[in-house]
Amino acid sequence: EESISVSELSQSMGVKASDLIRKLMQLGTMATINQLIDADTAALLATDFGFTVEKKGFEVEEFIPEVEVDESKLVNRPPVVTVMGHVDHGKTSLLDAIRQADVAAGEAGGITQHIGAYSVQTPKGPITFLDTPGHEAFTAMRERGAKVTDLVVLVVAADDGVMPQTAEAIKHAQAAGVTILVAINKIDKPGATPERVMQQLTEYKLVPEQWGGETIMLPVSARTKQGVPELLEYIALQAEVLDLKSNPETLAAGHVIEAKLEKGRGPVATVLVEEGTLRVGDAIVTGIHYGRVRAMMNERGEQVKEVPPGYPVEVLGLSGVPVAGDEFNIVEDEKAAKEVAAHRAEKARQKELGSVKRATLEDLFAKS
Ligand code: GDP
Ligand code: MG
């Protein structure tokens, strides 16, 4: 499990790497300077050079705080909504229409940033939308057992009906146990037949409320904005039914929605806070990257100092560009964040070395 590279061991003991390699050869191991050697071999070597080795266990989990389940501290949080559907059925157009319906738009200048997640103020309260290109982040998170989305808005074009990616989206949402709300889009078009779409959806166990089922299906037009305020209202209503709550009083945790490297800003990650409150200055770790939250920006490009659960935000200050779909955690201090990240990097490196070794073995078998 535990291991150290020949060069690291030589540095920590102040012994020449070539001497270590020679010693390893005497022990029957051919090693290079970058090779990882296990703890037992390292201990043996160290003893040969007059050192004693203390084995220190290291558990990443020690640094990651447990989620505190304190019923008394739970407060309502906004619903997190993902818009899914077949290509060209109007996901982007609908998200744009929703952005424009933001009631906070007037005074604050509206949503200016095209970031992977944003919060919209509606008369019934705030709603968080994930604007993920494709569904990669959503599926990646689901594969890892995380349920980030509370509701899926399934966009189906009224003139086109259920298509392969519609079926795919339904499958993903149903497998994740997420409530689906159907937006039958493009009803402004002459060839629009919403009833046909409703009929088609019953084949996927989505029966409209109008027909005695449980699924809300709304005719909308992203182009004329017809039905958009109603859609937001229904989302808010569904959220009330789901009674979504989080504890804002713990160290923050959540997921990376998207991330990129920006000139002059460094790594920028859009994260969704799911537990706790995220603050500027917090020590953050996500995957093999870590840092101190240097600044945070909302979807209006405004700097924010703290972000409660259910809200997305852009985070600056990470050591590298994290992976969309990865969890992020706030830990006690930057030292802990660095250690967790380093430990994960080391583990990933070992895994890679392992797979290289396996590949080589397979190559050998293939040749013989
Ligand atoms: P996406 O691939 O699902 O994101 O679809 P887009 O939002 O890019 O829309 C695909 C095309 O359909 C674009 O040309 C839009 O202008 C058009 N479109 C989207 N919504 C509507 C609508 O409600 N009515 C009409 N007539 N066209 C729409
Ligand atoms: Mg699109």
Side-chain angles (χ1 to χ4, degrees):
E1 258 271 79
E2 295 279 305
S3 65
I4 186 168
S5 73
V6 170
S7 70
E8 280 168 331
L9 185 61
S10 81
Q11 276 164 24
S12 65
M13 297 196 300
V15 170
K16 270 197 253 162
S18 56
D19 289 342
L20 280 185
I21 291 171
R22 196 170 307 121
K23 205 82 190 178
L24 277 166
M25 272 169 70
Q26 287 168 10
L27 293 169
T29 306
M30 302 295 274
T32 61
I33 189 150
N34 293 318
Q35 192 144 340
L36 294 177
I37 49 181
D38 62 56
D40 289 343
T41 310
L44 197 66
L45 272 181
T47 322
D48 274 352
F49 286 95
F51 287 85
T52 52
V53 175
E54 237 179 89
K55 234 182 141 181
K56 270 205 277 178
F58 178 84
E59 275 303 322
V60 170
E61 275 62 36
E62 284 172 28
F63 294 101
I64 308 262
E66 299 257 326
V67 173
E68 241 179 81
V69 193
D70 186 343
E71 294 277 337
S72 70
K73 288 183 177 162
L74 294 178
V75 298
N76 284 317
R77 63 161 176 85
V80 179
V81 181
T82 305
V83 175
M84 298 175 98
H86 196 73
V87 65
D88 283 344
H89 279 199
K91 297 179 295 293
T92 302
S93 306
L94 189 62
L95 281 162
D96 284 345
I98 288 167
R99 263 194 205 92
Q100 288 159 21
D102 188 356
V103 295
E107 66 272 25
I111 296 171
T112 52
Q113 314 283 99
H114 267 261
I115 62 174
Y118 56 84
S119 166
V120 172
Q121 278 297 336
T122 79
K124 292 262 156 67
I127 303 172
T128 296
F129 284 91
L130 298 189
D131 190 358
T132 52
H135 313 126
E136 290 94 352
F138 180 77
T139 32
M141 281 182 261
R142 193 168 71 73
E143 271 159 19
R144 282 174 243 169
K147 198 183 143 189
V148 172
T149 303
D150 304 304
L151 286 168
V152 161
V153 169
L154 181 69
V155 180
V156 189
D159 60 340
D160 206 19
V162 173
M163 295 300 275
Q165 287 168 44
T166 317
E168 188 74 5
I170 296 171
K171 199 178 79 185
H172 280 307
Q174 286 176 339
V178 177
T179 305
I180 298 172
L181 236 128
V182 180
I184 304 176
N185 191 31
K186 307 197 188 184
I187 51 150
D188 59 290
K189 280 190 138 184
T193 50
E195 280 79 20
R196 188 175 70 101
V197 174
M198 287 154 79
Q199 185 61 53
Q200 287 177 332
L201 287 170
T202 59
E203 287 165 35
Y204 297 86
K205 298 196 173 72
L206 297 177
V207 181
E209 274 194 323
Q210 300 95 302
W211 298 353
E214 290 181 341
T215 306
I216 290 155
M217 299 194 189
L218 289 171
V220 304
S221 167
R223 179 155 296 173
T224 67
K225 317 276 189 297
Q226 186 191 334
V228 173
E230 288 82 357
L231 177 65
L232 293 176
E233 199 159 313
Y234 270 104
I235 292 169
L237 275 174
Q238 277 290 334
E240 258 180 55
V241 172
L242 293 173
D243 193 26
L244 306 162
K245 286 177 168 20
S246 286
N247 177 3
E249 289 182 35
T250 62
L251 293 177
H255 283 87
V256 175
I257 305 303
E258 66 170 16
K260 55 187 182 283
L261 191 64
E262 272 186 35
K263 241 192 176 147
R265 297 174 91 199
V268 181
T270 304
V271 305
L272 176 71
V273 180
E274 289 155 52
E275 286 293 332
T277 299
L278 183 60
R279 293 187 174 85
V280 168
D282 278 352
I284 184 170
V285 60
T286 169
I288 60 166
H289 304 291
Y290 71 96
R292 206 166 258 294
V293 177
R294 196 171 73 227
M296 297 193 290
M297 254 77 57
N298 67 15
E299 58 281 326
R300 291 182 186 81
E302 300 161 339
Q303 299 242 3
V304 286
K305 289 261 177 277
E306 39 177 64
V307 182
Y311 286 88
V313 73
E314 274 194 331
V315 169
L316 269 58
L318 278 161
S319 59
V321 180
V323 178
D326 265 3
E327 196 176 346
F328 81 82
N329 291 95
I330 298 307
V331 293
E332 210 46 48
D333 53 30
E334 204 176 350
K335 189 168 163 278
K338 189 176 181 175
E339 267 187 75
V340 172
H343 182 74
R344 286 174 179 165
E346 180 61 29
K347 263 183 148 171
R349 192 158 67 122
Q350 282 179 28
K351 214 172 147 193
E352 209 166 283
L353 283 175
S355 64
V356 167
K357 228 184 276 163
R358 259 199 305 284
T360 321
L361 268 180
E362 276 158 22
D363 286 349
L364 282 176
F365 279 119
K367 275 177 203 136
S368 64

